[in-house]
Amino acid sequence: GAGVSQSPSNKVTEKGKDVELRCDPISGHTALYWYRQRLGQGLEFLIYFQGNSAPDKSGLPSDRFSAERTGESVSTLTIQRTQQEDSAVYLCASSLGAGYNEQFFGPGTRLTVL
Amino acid sequence: GNSVTQMEGPVTLSEEAFLTINCTYTATGYPSLFWYVQYPGEGLQLLLKATKADDKGSNKGFEATYRKETTSFHLEKGSVQVSDSAVYFCALNTPNTGNQFYFGTGTSLTVIP
């Protein structure tokens, strides 16, 4: 079956503009995660969705960042008024859910803020 | 809280050398432990995992043993190949407490012929 997909694969934007990144998890996976990976650095947790529970937003770096998920399907990560320090690869991962402990990663969206 | 610490890179080895990448963790409860690998230009993929103390995960010649007494999950391979060049991430997961994942900062490995 299909893996986790993300779009766009690359996004170049100007400072101050809003961007929206999309993630399609594996069908049937109730858990969905967003991470940020800056150049040469590790994964930085952003947000986690599990079924219909309230999302864990503890990793969002500022109120410019938000994410939504439609049921157990698509998720969008929105960054408002982008800054140059937002430039990174944004990774999405999904897993079967609580108690299942393997994550499957998408290819990422490379965001460049000029 | 939960966290993962892994040795800093970059690591450069000659082909057929022995590899160790250290990983230690701090966790509440009983975490599962993972190594993920990111090959150049590709996404992260699971390399191996262990879900309880003393378990050994293995794949593609890599091994790691879940050591609760030393809170460690060191990655080893007896003879590395050029194709093993990648970034390796140690991670833990607490499936009984929210299923949150915590990743280390990654260790870059380059294997030279």
Side-chain angles (χ1 to χ4, degrees):
Chain A
V4 177
S5 61
Q6 294 185 243
S7 61
S9 55
N10 278 285
K11 176 71 176 179
V12 180
T13 190
E14 293 180 348
K15 179 181 172 182
K17 296 284 180 69
D18 297 352
V19 296
E20 194 171 275
L21 312 180
R22 176 186 169 109
C23 172
D24 282 88
I26 293 173
S27 178
H29 281 194
T30 61
L32 187 149
Y33 308 77
W34 283 99
Y35 296 92
R36 179 168 69 179
Q37 186 179 25
R38 289 192 166 119
L39 184 65
Q41 299 187 21
L43 273 69
E44 179 185 2
F45 166 74
L46 297 178
I47 189 169
Y48 160 53
F49 296 89
Q50 171 56 56
N52 294 320
S53 302
D56 178 352
K57 303 180 181 181
S58 60
L60 294 178
S62 78
D63 59 7
R64 296 187 296 104
F65 287 72
S66 63
E68 294 193 353
R69 188 178 186 193
T70 307
E72 295 182 351
S73 176
V74 171
S75 176
T76 54
L77 176 69
T78 301
I79 309 173
Q80 296 179 309
R81 305 180 303 281
T82 52
Q83 304 294 313
Q84 288 184 330
E85 64 262 26
D86 299 335
S87 296
V89 176
Y90 290 82
L91 293 169
C92 176
S94 70
S95 72
L96 277 168
Y100 294 88
N101 55 22
E102 179 176 347
Q103 287 193 335
F104 296 82
F105 281 83
T109 294
R110 182 176 297 279
L111 174 66
T112 303
V113 182
L114 301 177
Chain B
N2 300 315
S3 66
V4 174
T5 302
Q6 61 182 104
M7 66 183 281
E8 293 188 15
V11 175
T12 302
L13 294 174
S14 298
E15 206 165 22
E16 299 184 3
F18 184 86
L19 168 71
T20 300
I21 301 178
N22 289 340
C23 172
T24 57
Y25 68 89
T26 303
T28 53
Y30 302 95
S32 295
L33 301 174
F34 305 81
W35 278 99
Y36 278 82
V37 59
Q38 187 174 31
Y39 296 105
E42 299 184 17
L44 272 81
Q45 54 188 277
L46 179 66
L47 178 61
L48 54 85
K49 67 178 182 181
T51 58
K52 62 182 188 296
D54 300 325
D55 271 3
K56 178 186 285 187
S58 61
N59 186 24
K60 299 182 181 180
F62 290 88
E63 292 184 341
T65 301
Y66 188 147
R67 301 283 188 202
K68 191 176 179 197
E69 63 276 15
T70 54
T71 61
S72 64
F73 193 56
H74 304 322
L75 182 68
E76 297 182 337
K77 186 173 186 181
S79 176
V80 293
Q81 305 300 313
V82 172
S83 57
D84 295 326
S85 298
V87 181
Y88 293 82
F89 293 90
C90 185
L92 72 83
N93 158 251
T94 55
N96 297 323
T97 56
N99 211 36
Q100 176 62 278
F101 277 79
Y102 300 84
F103 282 81
T105 54
T107 301
S108 175
L109 170 67
T110 300
V111 180
I112 54 178

